[in-house]
Amino acid sequence: MIGRETLKKHARLVDLMASKLGIDLEERALRGDINFDEISDAVLACTGCSHPCTCERWLAAMPVPQNDTPDYCRNRPLFKGLKNA
């Protein structure tokens, strides 16, 4: 079972990645572009990533906005879809 702190950490990573791409997940959910279950699924996908520390460094180093996620991002297709919508 995934612990609360792990979920919080990965929820933060998902939100930061979206922000780096110029995507406001809350706004997009309110507009109906994504539902909250899809956001939850993105967080769960992120918990399975083997690169969270690398991701944190990438997020800290990259300016806003970025055009794409790193290749290893498990949510790359989701973010690409939202960026292109």
Side-chain angles (χ1 to χ4, degrees):
M1 185 162 156
I2 300 169
R4 184 173 187 231
E5 290 305 312
T6 298
L7 287 173
K8 286 171 63 175
K9 174 183 179 174
H10 288 274
R12 182 179 59 79
L13 290 173
V14 168
D15 191 51
L16 286 171
M17 185 65 73
S19 293
K20 285 288 182 176
L21 297 169
I23 300 166
D24 182 329
L25 288 175
E26 185 176 346
E27 176 190 329
R28 299 298 288 272
L30 292 172
R31 288 186 4 202
D33 296 336
I34 187 171
N35 65 52
F36 288 104
D37 285 340
E38 290 172 303
I39 296 171
S40 294
D41 289 346
V43 172
L44 287 175
C46 186
T47 65
C49 180
S50 59
H51 302 284
C53 293
T54 303
C55 186
E56 287 176 324
R57 288 191 298 274
W58 185 89
L59 288 165
M62 292 295 125
V64 177
Q66 288 294 304
N67 290 323
D68 205 354
T69 66
D71 291 339
Y72 56 80
C73 182
R74 290 175 164 234
N75 290 305
R76 190 174 210 195
L78 171 71
F79 289 133
K80 272 189 174 204
L82 289 171
K83 191 126 173 95
N84 294 328

